[in-house]
Amino acid sequence: MFRFGFKLLVVFSLVMLAACSRHWREGDPGITDEELQPKVMEALQLAANQADAERFKQLFSDQNATVFYAESGSAMGPAQNVTAMYSWDFLSGQGAQSFAPETIEKSRVIFIDIPYEDRIQNAILFDITVGGQHIVKIYFNDKNSTDVEPTFFDNGEFVSQMSSSDGSHILLRSFDTDDDVLQSVIQLEVYTWDVDGTELLNGKVTTLVGFEP
C-alpha cells in the first residue's frame, strides 16, 4: 500500500544550536511532492536486502511519517556536498570499502521520522553511485537489549541509534529541532565507533528537506 498526497514542508527553519545561537537553514530537494514516491520506490528496488526494502516501504506508507530527502544534482550540488563523509566503511558488506569518498558520482539519502505517542520510529536509506554501480543500505532504530530508547532528545539535540540487518551500527545526531520535534529542514551528523567504543564523527548529510503527509 502506497501513500499519496505528500506536502513539501517550508524550506526555511529557524534553528537553535547548542551554543544558543540562531540561524536559518534552507534547502531545495530538487523534486516536487509528486515526484517523491517514485524516487523512493526507485531507491528501494536497488537495495541488496529486499526484506529491509519492504520494511522501509511500509514505514514510508505510514500516515504519520515525515520523509526527509536529499539527492545530489543541480539543486543540492555534487555528491560530496550532499553526503560529506570521511569514510563509507559503514556501508561495508555492500562493496563500499574499495573506494574513496571523492570518487562518488551520485548520492541520495532518505530519512523517515515517525513520532508515535510512546516511541519514535526512524529509518534511513543511503544510495550512492560509484563506477556506475549503486550501493544501497538501510538502517532502522530497532531497540537493543538495553533499556535506553534508540531515539531521544537530549537538551535540544536529536539522537538516534541505528542498526542494519548485517549487524552494523551508526549514530545520527541533529540540533535542527524545536520543542523536541525535528525542523522541516535538517542536517544529520553520522557517527561510528572505534575499537574502544568511542564515538567518531564520520561525516554528515548536509541538508535534508522534509515532506509531510
Side-chain angles (χ1 to χ4, degrees), residues 138-172:
I138 301 172
Y139 285 82
F140 302 95
N141 68 331
D142 292 328
K143 190 168 184 176
N144 55 29
S145 58
T146 69
D147 292 330
V148 178
E149 287 297 325
T151 298
F152 56 91
F153 289 86
D154 181 19
N155 292 322
E157 183 183 23
F158 170 84
V159 183
S160 190
Q161 304 173 63
M162 312 291 289
S163 60
S164 68
S165 56
D166 65 5
S168 61
H169 303 271
I170 58 173
L171 184 70
L172 303 178

Side-chain angles (χ1 to χ4, degrees), residues 31 64-65 86 96 124 149 174-175 191:
I31 63 171
N64 297 304
Y86 300 116
I124 190 166
E149 287 297 325
S174 178
F175 276 106
Y191 289 79

Side-chain angles (χ1 to χ4, degrees), residues 190-212:
V190 179
Y191 289 79
T192 54
W193 292 267
D194 65 13
V195 293
D196 297 320
T198 302
E199 281 184 29
L200 299 174
L201 177 61
N202 191 84
K204 59 188 176 181
V205 185
T206 55
T207 305
L208 294 115
V209 180
F211 292 78
E212 67 177 7

Side-chain angles (χ1 to χ4, degrees), residues 21-209:
S21 62
R22 295 174 182 266
H23 76 280
W24 291 95
R25 191 181 300 285
E26 59 182 280
D28 178 1
I31 63 171
T32 65
D33 49 350
E34 291 83 6
E35 295 171 313
L36 176 64
Q37 181 167 305
K39 288 282 190 178
V40 173
M41 295 304 112
E42 176 187 61
L44 291 176
Q45 290 174 359
L46 297 167
N49 188 317
Q50 281 300 301
D52 286 349
E54 182 60 33
R55 184 180 174 193
F56 192 94
K57 184 189 299 183
Q58 292 174 358
L59 295 177
F60 173 77
S61 300
D62 192 297
Q63 295 297 321
N64 297 304
T66 297
V67 180
F68 293 87
Y69 189 86
E71 183 176 12
S72 60
S74 59
M76 287 191 162
Q80 289 74 19
N81 288 1
V82 174
T83 47
M85 300 293 170
Y86 300 116
S87 166
W88 286 98
D89 287 354
F90 65 92
L91 296 190
S92 61
Q94 310 292 338
Q97 291 178 307
S98 59
F99 64 88
E102 60 268 19
T103 64
I104 296 176
E105 298 155 10
K106 298 178 182 178
S107 66
R108 170 166 49 189
V109 179
I110 306 165
F111 176 67
I112 295 176
D113 181 57
I114 310 176
Y116 296 117
E117 289 187 4
D118 59 340
R119 61 188 174 89
I120 299 172
Q121 179 71 59
N122 293 135
I124 190 166
L125 179 151
F126 294 92
D127 173 14
I128 62 173
T129 305
V130 182
Q133 300 296 315
H134 284 267
I135 300 170
V136 178
K137 190 167 186 176
I138 301 172
Y139 285 82
F140 302 95
N141 68 331
D142 292 328
K143 190 168 184 176
N144 55 29
S145 58
T146 69
D147 292 330
V148 178
E149 287 297 325
T151 298
F152 56 91
F153 289 86
D154 181 19
N155 292 322
E157 183 183 23
F158 170 84
V159 183
S160 190
Q161 304 173 63
M162 312 291 289
S163 60
S164 68
S165 56
D166 65 5
S168 61
H169 303 271
I170 58 173
L171 184 70
L172 303 178
R173 293 182 178 272
S174 178
F175 276 106
D176 297 333
T177 68
D178 185 17
D179 292 331
D180 289 350
V181 176
L182 287 172
Q183 293 279 355
S184 58
V185 182
I186 64 173
Q187 180 177 104
L188 287 177
E189 293 181 339
V190 179
Y191 289 79
T192 54
W193 292 267
D194 65 13
V195 293
D196 297 320
T198 302
E199 281 184 29
L200 299 174
L201 177 61
N202 191 84
K204 59 188 176 181
V205 185
T206 55
T207 305
L208 294 115
V209 180

